[in-house]
Amino acid sequence: MTETTTPDYFFMPDVPIQPFQFPGLKTSHTLFIKREDLTHPVISGNKFWKLKYNLQAARESKKDTLVTFGGAMSNHIVATAAAGKENNFKTVGIIRGEELATKWEGNLSLQEASELGMTFYFVPREEYRLKERSEHIEKILDTIPNHYLIPEGGTNKLAVKGASEILTEKTSDFDLITTAVGTGGTLSGLSVGAKEHQHIMGFPALKNAEFLVKKILNLTDIENFTVILDYHFGGYAKITSELIDFINDFYRLNRIPLDPIYTGKMMFGLKEMIKNGEIDSDKKILAIHTGGLQGIREMNKQLKHKNRPIIIT
Ligand SMILES: *Cc1c(COP(=O)(O)O)cnc(C)c1O
């Protein structure tokens, strides 16, 4: 191991803010997208920002292993594996679903995390739901010396601090900032980082996401955000042909790829809201591209298997 120098994480990646259009929609709204998907080749989008201060804290407390939680399609698992490798931490993933223990190698996201050095524990869904409060998981954690625990999806106060840095002076002219939502950490960060005149709109990728509002209010105390519950497409990692068509049309028109789990749903929702006249036409809108493109490979593999149209890249 080499002597620790200034952590890589303290450079501030400056990604493009690009204009875009919605396929099949003429509108006078100002539409731009901040390409956080270009922040880092693997630790893409919001995950980079959410890990930034957690890595610093892990390093400062002299921990040598990062432990975190995720499902089989988790971008956060892959991002943590990559961040650990780059920053000289061992990484452990506690993965939802015991059944994956014998077949995880068939999952392209878990395969990539493993290649980046992550080791896995597969736990039953009931235990996973309890996280650190599960005795089963507590026993696993007891066997991992000197670890730094990062919660599911990477969301904690330090993640919010990092995500707040997605908004800068360069984004201060926009009125409305939109983001995809999973655990709500990124939306909370944008809420904290916003200027007084800015409003944040979040589109959860999961069903029955009302509970997120309370959770977000625990992470930011500024009520400058709205959570839009209508564009989950049936639930987390669930998709429809309409969504795939939209993602492909958006790509053909703008040459900007969207992922099917998060950013595709957010952009679809934003388009619908504009179309329905739910957003004033003088608004300057900035969509945050939170990344997640690594998940396309596994989704396409599953779509091919079912003989359905795939996401073009
Ligand atoms: C993880 C993820 C999100 C959700 O972020 P939260 O902070 O958990 O709300 C959104 N978009 C993409 C692409 C992600 O990978």
Side-chain angles (χ1 to χ4, degrees):
M1 230 166 74
T2 49
E3 191 86 15
T4 316
T5 51
T6 314
D8 299 327
Y9 271 66
F10 289 84
F11 87 100
M12 298 281 279
D14 194 14
V15 296
I17 296 173
Q18 300 170 332
F20 71 92
Q21 297 181 329
F22 281 118
L25 182 72
K26 289 238 178 310
T27 170
S28 56
H29 294 80
T30 303
L31 294 171
F32 279 80
I33 183 166
K34 186 162 194 247
R35 297 289 306 277
E36 291 296 342
D37 57 308
L38 302 174
T39 304
H40 185 284
V42 187
I43 315 169
S44 100
N46 60 347
K47 301 303 184 287
F48 177 95
W49 296 104
K50 292 173 77 173
L51 285 165
K52 177 176 168 176
Y53 291 106
N54 278 295
L55 290 170
Q56 182 187 24
R59 188 180 282 117
E60 282 174 5
S61 54
K62 305 247 184 308
K63 306 290 189 195
D64 57 23
T65 306
L66 307 174
V67 180
T68 196
F69 301 88
M73 302 292 275
S74 169
N75 295 322
H76 167 68
I77 286 290
V78 179
T80 304
K85 184 168 183 185
E86 264 187 23
N87 292 275
N88 293 318
F89 292 103
K90 289 178 268 187
T91 53
V92 175
I94 298 178
I95 309 295
R96 181 178 66 222
E98 226 173 2
E99 76 284 355
L100 284 164
T102 52
K103 55 180 190 197
W104 66 268
E105 283 167 307
N107 178 294
L108 297 174
S109 296
L110 294 179
Q111 209 180 76
E112 179 165 12
S114 167
E115 277 162 18
L116 290 163
M118 184 176 265
T119 53
F120 302 128
Y121 290 89
F122 298 93
V123 301
R125 280 153 211 274
E126 316 80 69
E127 302 289 338
Y128 183 88
R129 209 166 296 131
L130 300 169
K131 309 283 177 338
E132 303 90 305
R133 297 191 310 280
S134 146
E135 262 181 50
H136 181 97
I137 290 176
E138 215 175 80
K139 279 203 191 110
I140 295 174
L141 293 176
D142 283 346
T143 66
I144 309 169
N146 203 24
H147 67 262
Y148 181 88
L149 199 63
I150 302 175
E152 183 180 36
T155 289
N156 56 16
K157 291 270 178 193
L158 291 176
V160 171
K161 181 179 175 197
S164 77
E165 296 179 3
I166 292 173
L167 296 180
T168 64
E169 284 312 311
K170 289 185 183 169
T171 61
S172 63
D173 274 350
F174 293 95
D175 312 306
L176 180 64
I177 318 289
T178 69
T179 184
V181 176
T183 60
T186 304
L187 173 51
S188 303
L190 295 172
S191 163
V192 169
K195 305 277 180 205
E196 218 160 289
H197 71 94
Q198 293 179 318
H199 189 83
I200 318 297
M201 194 177 268
F203 295 81
L206 51 154
K207 203 160 58 177
N208 302 327
E210 297 84 355
F211 73 94
L212 281 171
V213 174
K214 225 182 179 174
K215 184 172 172 195
I216 293 163
L217 280 171
N218 277 324
L219 293 165
T220 168
D221 39 25
I222 316 164
E223 291 193 46
N224 58 354
F225 65 91
T226 315
V227 177
I228 307 293
L229 299 169
D230 307 329
Y231 299 100
H232 54 71
F233 288 84
Y236 184 75
K238 299 266 187 338
I239 55 165
T240 65
S241 303
E242 193 185 18
L243 179 64
I244 300 295
D245 287 347
F246 169 77
I247 288 171
N248 286 339
D249 289 343
F250 188 91
Y251 181 72
R252 287 191 193 97
L253 184 62
N254 298 291
R255 293 288 141 186
I256 298 171
L258 301 174
D259 84 293
I261 297 179
Y262 290 105
T263 54
K265 293 181 180 181
M266 180 266 287
M267 282 299 212
F268 187 101
L270 178 58
K271 178 186 174 183
E272 287 301 299
M273 290 183 74
I274 289 176
K275 200 165 79 185
N276 299 338
E278 293 170 78
I279 297 173
D280 294 344
S281 62
D282 60 347
K283 291 279 183 249
K284 289 187 190 150
I285 303 171
L286 179 68
I288 306 298
H289 194 316
T290 43
L293 300 176
Q294 72 83 24
I296 293 177
R297 291 173 311 155
E298 175 63 25
M299 188 62 84
N300 273 348
K301 198 187 84 193
Q302 297 181 12
L303 287 167
K304 265 188 206 153
H305 195 70
K306 294 177 194 153
N307 270 324
R308 289 173 61 183
I310 62 162
I311 299 159
I312 53 175
T313 49

